[in-house]
């Protein structure tokens, strides 16, 4: 690489050159939007509150992307291991952590065919997690990715790798894509309710925090699931300055099909055009730097009658805490007569 050092005869100075290098060193690379991704593979992490519909969204999105001719790898990074269940018609595929444990006990190595399965052109796998009370879910995610690297993750050829992460916590392994720049961008899934938007806002805060530390992951946008038209999620997206990539309506037909493990992200479905548009938006949405809201700012998106606006915090006293056991105590404080 050659450096364009200024010609001193033309009026340039070494001081000018030094300042330019300093400016470039402090430039936030994620704010530079390229016409084409710098990497062929787009790795996208999807975050949202547990039960908000990430798995439903991702199973149908990945299926539609495959129909559009893209090579897609879907990885479930939720200890519940429910990401791929809709894609595989309700069938649970063996997880990487579970399979690795069994293979290790048998003195065998894990192979791709043991943990990765295909349907409709989508390649899919689950990282899994420890049994209840027997380990940390976040540490399980880290261990799962270590196993993926041994399987050759960095040599695989995909257009998109979609990671389904539990958004209720963004620490440890669950924060890997953001903290370690493992993904180029994050997509949030939420609805018009305070709890799911609280989680979405929390993820925005994590992105904002790691960007200040030099990270480059940005938020590509919000998918509103079970949209009842009340508008809080739309208002949230506008407030944190991210686009709405899709609005999936609150619809009984969608609910029944999801409950019956039916794929609707296909051209044959009446919902196909919705997921086709989502696929197009996900492909081109740039990673943006969100402006996370304060708790009060988040509450202001909702009707005050629903969030307790106007409530005053009344401090408790020691007597309140003791209740019927509250008895006056003699003070040990020495009080002097005033002179």
């Amino acid at each position: 690489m050659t450096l364009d050092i200024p010609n001193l005869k033309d009026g340039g100075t070494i001081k000018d050159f030094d300042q330019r290098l300093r400016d470039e060193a402090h430039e936030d690379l994620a704010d530079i939007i390229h016409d084409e991704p710098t990497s062929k593979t787009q790795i996208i992490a999807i975050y949202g509150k547990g039960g908000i519909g990430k798995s439903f969204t991702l199973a149908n999105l990945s299926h539609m992307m495959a129909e559009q001719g893209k090579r897609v790898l879907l990885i479930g990074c939720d200890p519940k291991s429910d990401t791929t269940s809709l894609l595989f018609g309700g069938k649970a595929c063996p997880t990487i952590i579970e399979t690795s444990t069994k293979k290790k006990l048998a003195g065998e190595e894990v192979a791709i065919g043991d943990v990765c399965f295909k349907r409709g052109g989508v390649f899919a796998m689950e990282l899994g997690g420890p049994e209840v009370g027997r380990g940390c879910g976040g540490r399980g995610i880290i261990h799962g990715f270590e196993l993926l690297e041994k399987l050759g993750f960095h040599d695989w050829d995909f257009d998109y790798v979609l990671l389904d992460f539990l958004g209720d916590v963004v620490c440890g392994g669950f924060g890997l894509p953001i903290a370690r720049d493992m993904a180029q961008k994050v997509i949030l899934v939420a609805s018009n309710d305070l709890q799911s938007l609280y989680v979405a806002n929390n993820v925005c805060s994590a992105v904002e925090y790691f960007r200040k530390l030099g990270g480059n992951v940005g938020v590509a946008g919000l998918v509103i699931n079970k949209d009842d038209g009340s508008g809080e999620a739309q208002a949230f997206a506008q407030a944190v300055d991210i686009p709405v990539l899709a609005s999936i309506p609150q619809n009984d037909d969608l609910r029944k099909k999801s409950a019956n493990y039916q794929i609707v992200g296909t051209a044959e479905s009446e919902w196909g055009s919705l997921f086709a548009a989502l696929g197009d938006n996900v492909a081109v949405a740039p990673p943006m730097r969100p402006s996370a809201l304060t708790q009060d700012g988040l509450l202001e998106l909702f009707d005050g009658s629903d969030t307790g606006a106007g409530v005053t915090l009344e401090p408790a006293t020691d007597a309140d805490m003791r209740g019927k056991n509250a008895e006056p105590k003699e003070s040990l404080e020495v009080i002097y007569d005033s002179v």
Side-chain angles (χ1 to χ4, degrees), residues 5-320:
I5 300 177
N7 188 333
L8 299 185
K9 294 181 180 180
D10 295 334
T13 66
I14 292 296
K15 183 177 180 181
D16 293 336
F17 180 62
D18 176 69
Q19 184 59 48
R20 190 181 60 136
L21 291 180
R22 291 175 182 274
D23 292 340
E24 290 178 357
H26 287 85
E27 191 170 25
D28 191 336
L29 298 181
D31 286 335
I32 303 175
I33 301 175
H34 300 275
D35 292 333
E36 296 291 339
T38 55
S39 173
K40 178 182 182 296
T41 302
Q42 284 199 51
I43 302 179
I44 305 172
I46 286 79
Y47 280 92
K49 176 180 176 294
I52 201 59
K54 298 186 304 301
S55 299
F56 164 79
T57 302
L58 277 178
N60 287 290
L61 172 62
S62 61
H63 193 276
M64 177 54 73
M65 283 182 153
E67 278 195 9
Q68 293 173 329
K70 303 295 191 296
R71 283 178 53 82
V72 183
L73 172 63
L74 175 61
I75 304 179
C77 307
D78 189 320
K80 297 192 301 295
S81 301
D82 60 347
T83 302
T84 60
S85 59
L86 178 58
L87 184 65
F88 295 128
K91 184 179 291 294
C93 64
T95 69
I96 291 176
I97 293 177
E98 174 190 20
T99 303
S100 172
T101 300
K102 290 180 179 179
K103 289 283 186 178
K104 187 174 182 180
L105 290 174
E108 301 174 357
E109 295 291 331
V110 178
I112 289 294
D114 297 323
V115 293
C116 188
F117 306 89
K118 302 179 291 182
R119 185 190 178 193
V122 181
F123 295 79
M125 60 179 70
E126 293 278 0
L127 290 188
E131 293 183 38
V132 177
R134 298 190 182 183
C136 168
R139 183 67 190 95
I141 297 298
I142 295 173
H143 179 55
F145 273 101
E146 290 172 348
L147 291 174
L148 283 181
E149 290 184 359
K150 291 180 180 179
L151 288 171
F153 178 76
H154 297 295
D155 296 323
W156 297 344
D157 179 29
F158 289 97
D159 297 307
Y160 296 93
V161 176
L162 305 178
L163 309 174
D164 180 2
F165 272 88
L166 181 66
D168 298 76
V169 286
V170 286
C171 62
F174 296 104
L176 273 180
I178 303 172
R180 298 189 183 178
D181 275 1
M182 285 179 56
Q184 288 97 345
K185 54 192 180 185
V186 165
I187 291 175
L188 306 173
V189 179
S191 189
N192 293 307
D193 69 274
L194 179 58
Q195 291 304 314
S196 71
L197 291 178
Y198 174 83
V199 169
N201 191 58
N202 208 29
V203 176
C204 286
S205 295
V207 169
E208 197 173 35
Y209 171 75
F210 284 108
R211 289 287 286 269
K212 292 177 181 177
L213 297 181
N216 291 294
V217 178
V219 177
L222 173 71
V223 174
I224 305 175
N225 192 34
K226 301 177 183 177
D227 188 5
D228 59 5
S230 56
E232 288 87 356
Q234 289 272 3
F236 169 78
Q238 184 175 359
V240 300
D241 196 23
I242 59 175
V244 174
L245 301 176
S247 180
I248 303 172
Q250 182 173 290
N251 181 277
D252 197 50
D253 179 59
L254 281 176
R255 182 189 64 79
K256 289 179 180 178
K257 282 184 168 58
S258 176
N260 291 326
Y261 301 104
Q262 295 181 36
I263 290 291
V264 297
T266 172
E268 300 173 358
S269 166
E270 63 177 294
W271 304 103
S273 59
L274 188 156
F275 284 95
L278 174 58
D280 293 338
N281 290 338
V282 166
V284 300
M288 301 178 67
R289 188 168 192 165
S291 302
L293 302 178
T294 63
Q295 178 70 5
D296 287 341
L298 187 61
L299 291 175
E300 288 174 1
L301 299 177
F302 294 82
D303 185 338
S305 62
D306 296 329
T307 57
V311 173
T312 302
L313 299 180
E314 181 183 355
T317 66
D318 181 68
D320 291 333

